Amino acid sequence: MFVDTAKIKIKAGKGGDGAISFHRDKLTMTGGPDGGNGGRGGSVIFKADSNLSTLSEFRYKKKFFAKSGQNGSSGKKSGKKGEDLIVRVPFGTLIKDAETDKLIADVSEDKPYVIAPGGRGGAGNMNFAGPIKQSPRFAKPGEETPELLVKLELKLLADVGLVGYPNVGKSTIISSVSEAKPQIANYHFTTISPILGVVKYDDETSFVMADIPGLIEGAWKGVGLGHKFLRHVERCRMFLHVVDVSGSEGRNPCDDFDIINSELEKFSGELAKRPMLVVGNKSEIATPEQIDKFKNYVTQKGYEFIAISAISQKGIKEMLDKVAEMLSKLPSASLFTPNAGNYLEKDDKDEPLTIKNVNGVYVASAGWLKKLMNSVNFKDYDSMEYFQNYIVKAGLMDALKAKGAKPGDTIKIDDMEFEFFE
């Protein structure tokens, strides 16, 4: 079964916790702090794989969680970094936020795409020693990472897209010019998934051809198989519009040509402007009058026409010559621009400090405050002291005073409440 969309959950590994430890051996009974840092969590990384052509791997497996970093240990030993999780997808896979539909990445190049970076490791207590506090009993936990629901959407990357009605010979064409081996039979919708084939034109030139399953009238609205596959023609650099010039199935070739063009335009106005070479297949059973009539019809509309027979190979070389010539003048396949860069690793500045007075309670929130709250052990004196010094240096106390907070007022951060002091 062909699968071109999927929803999965991804989660980077949590950072390892920093250690609280003090150096002890038979010669040193009261050594200093030597708690090591936690290791960074593993990242979720997407990579394009040329051996994949569908998203069927994601039909049943829905969770992709990277390993957490190891905790720090005594002797100033840092924890081991969590192992990255590599998720392999076909070239042309779009990764989107499933809730907002915003594009995160277009996996269309041979490089790693870090979608969910691993959580930072927590600092061990060796980092908090100073002239005044020489024996800190405080370490920071590793950074937690969010779970994200993403939508995968496959839009094939091909230079040439074969479009046309079912059973006009598209599969026979691609099988004759490439190593692709689609199922071929004399009935409609033999091809139920896009087929990619690499056409080796000469020693220096090759291009990718995609056999798109047959379109019919109303495909842009979801009729037949067309709607779910029309997306795959969006990134084709040009089209081979294949028409049964013989009218062997009782249809008018001119009507077929207009209907498919109309379906492309209704799906996306930009597709109607894409370069197109019209191919009249099954010419071996067509009369010269049928071929000439159709040729005149499409050339009057400004298209170039070539009559071929995929069965006998007549006209195939001429067709490939013209395709190679057209491609040499066209730009590379376009990539989609993501709405965000490193989607899960936002700078604290992206979430500025806000303070609201809600029934006499001052509610403070900010991205950096959330991270701070997750890193503090409020049952430990040293940890609380670190928290108080941090919010003073970060300007929270001044911001509260500017909003009218007075000693004794209640300050709420996340689910915790504090008494304001000066």
Side-chain angles (χ1 to χ4, degrees):
M1 176 180 287
F2 178 72
V3 179
D4 63 351
T5 60
K7 286 185 179 179
I8 61 172
K9 292 180 180 179
I10 63 173
K11 188 178 187 297
K14 172 187 175 296
D17 296 336
I20 301 175
S21 174
F22 296 91
H23 180 64
R24 297 288 187 270
D25 59 39
K26 62 182 180 180
L27 300 177
T28 309
M29 297 303 295
T30 57
D34 67 351
N37 302 325
R40 189 179 185 100
S43 299
V44 179
I45 300 173
F46 282 72
K47 292 191 72 174
D49 189 332
S50 59
N51 294 316
L52 300 177
S53 59
T54 77
L55 297 174
S56 58
E57 298 286 331
F58 305 97
R59 287 184 63 197
Y60 304 109
K61 186 176 181 180
K62 298 292 186 180
K63 292 184 178 181
F64 294 82
F65 294 173
K67 299 290 186 181
S68 296
Q70 291 185 352
N71 296 335
S73 58
S74 60
K76 299 183 179 181
K77 295 177 182 178
S78 295
K80 186 179 179 181
K81 180 184 181 297
E83 183 179 353
D84 292 334
L85 176 63
I86 307 296
V87 182
R88 300 191 180 278
V89 294
F91 276 90
T93 301
L94 304 182
I95 304 174
K96 297 181 177 181
D97 185 318
E99 296 179 358
T100 65
D101 208 42
K102 287 185 177 180
L103 180 64
I104 301 172
D106 180 357
V107 185
S108 298
E109 297 179 286
D110 188 16
K111 67 177 186 180
Y113 292 79
V114 182
I115 304 302
R120 298 182 183 89
N125 70 334
M126 68 177 183
N127 298 279
F128 302 102
I132 299 176
K133 188 173 293 298
Q134 298 180 5
S135 301
R137 296 184 175 277
F138 165 62
K140 296 182 70 174
E143 182 183 24
E144 294 284 353
T145 54
E147 183 178 301
L148 179 67
L149 179 65
V150 297
K151 178 170 68 175
L152 307 181
E153 184 176 303
L154 177 58
K155 294 194 177 185
L156 294 177
L157 280 174
D159 298 297
V160 184
L162 276 66
V163 298
Y165 259 83
N167 211 30
V168 295
K170 299 189 302 297
S171 296
T172 304
I173 292 173
I174 198 170
S175 66
S176 67
V177 300
S178 74
E179 296 297 322
K181 301 299 179 186
Q183 180 184 358
I184 299 174
N186 188 30
Y187 58 84
H188 287 183
F189 302 117
T190 306
T191 304
I192 60 173
S193 64
I195 304 296
L196 291 178
V198 178
V199 180
K200 296 180 180 179
Y201 176 69
D202 56 32
D203 292 338
E204 298 181 355
T205 307
S206 64
F207 50 86
V208 178
M209 184 176 286
D211 172 15
I212 308 299
L215 305 178
I216 61 175
E217 189 171 8
W220 71 280
K221 295 188 294 185
V223 178
L225 295 175
H227 179 67
K228 64 187 294 188
F229 297 119
L230 271 167
R231 73 186 64 185
H232 295 300
V233 304
E234 285 190 271
R235 294 205 276 197
C236 293
R237 297 165 64 196
M238 63 169 288
F239 298 139
L240 272 185
H241 191 151
V242 184
V243 178
D244 176 2
V245 74
S246 71
S248 62
E249 299 210 346
R251 299 191 307 270
N252 185 317
C254 298
D255 291 342
D256 283 4
F257 177 76
D258 288 339
I259 288 171
I260 297 302
N261 278 358
S262 176
E263 293 303 308
L264 293 174
E265 185 171 11
K266 289 174 182 176
F267 181 75
S268 168
E270 193 274 333
L271 291 182
K273 304 174 185 177
R274 200 68 54 86
M276 178 183 291
L277 176 63
V278 183
V279 175
N281 192 27
K282 302 187 181 181
S283 63
E284 77 280 3
I285 59 174
T287 66
E289 290 77 18
Q290 286 177 311
I291 296 174
D292 289 341
K293 180 181 177 180
F294 182 68
K295 177 180 179 180
N296 291 334
Y297 184 76
V298 297
T299 54
Q300 287 175 5
K301 291 179 176 288
Y303 297 99
E304 293 194 60
F305 171 80
I306 295 177
I308 71 164
S309 170
I311 295 294
S312 68
Q313 296 290 292
K314 177 184 176 182
I316 292 293
K317 183 179 185 306
E318 182 184 2
M319 178 190 75
L320 293 180
D321 288 343
K322 190 60 187 177
V323 169
E325 177 190 336
M326 293 175 68
L327 287 175
S328 68
K329 302 174 182 177
L330 297 176
S332 301
S334 60
L335 304 183
F336 294 93
T337 303
N339 296 96
N342 200 341
Y343 189 75
L344 294 181
E345 193 169 34
K346 297 180 179 178
D347 195 308
D348 294 339
K349 295 177 181 177
D350 292 339
E351 299 181 63
L353 174 66
T354 60
I355 298 174
K356 297 179 181 179
N357 189 328
V358 181
N359 298 324
V361 176
Y362 291 87
V363 180
S365 63
W368 61 268
L369 263 179
K370 293 178 183 178
K371 294 179 181 179
L372 178 64
M373 295 294 287
N374 290 331
S375 69
V376 175
N377 178 6
F378 290 99
K379 296 180 180 180
D380 180 78
Y381 176 81
D382 288 342
S383 187
M384 274 294 296
E385 187 176 35
Y386 168 81
F387 170 75
Q388 292 172 355
N389 291 334
Y390 193 105
I391 61 176
V392 170
K393 292 179 180 179
L396 176 60
M397 305 304 287
D398 291 337
L400 286 167
K401 283 193 285 186
K403 286 288 185 177
K406 297 179 178 59
D409 286 343
T410 300
I411 310 302
K412 185 175 182 179
I413 305 174
D414 281 350
D415 295 327
M416 298 196 68
E417 295 184 350
F418 307 89
E419 183 177 316
F420 183 69
F421 64 91
E422 288 190 84

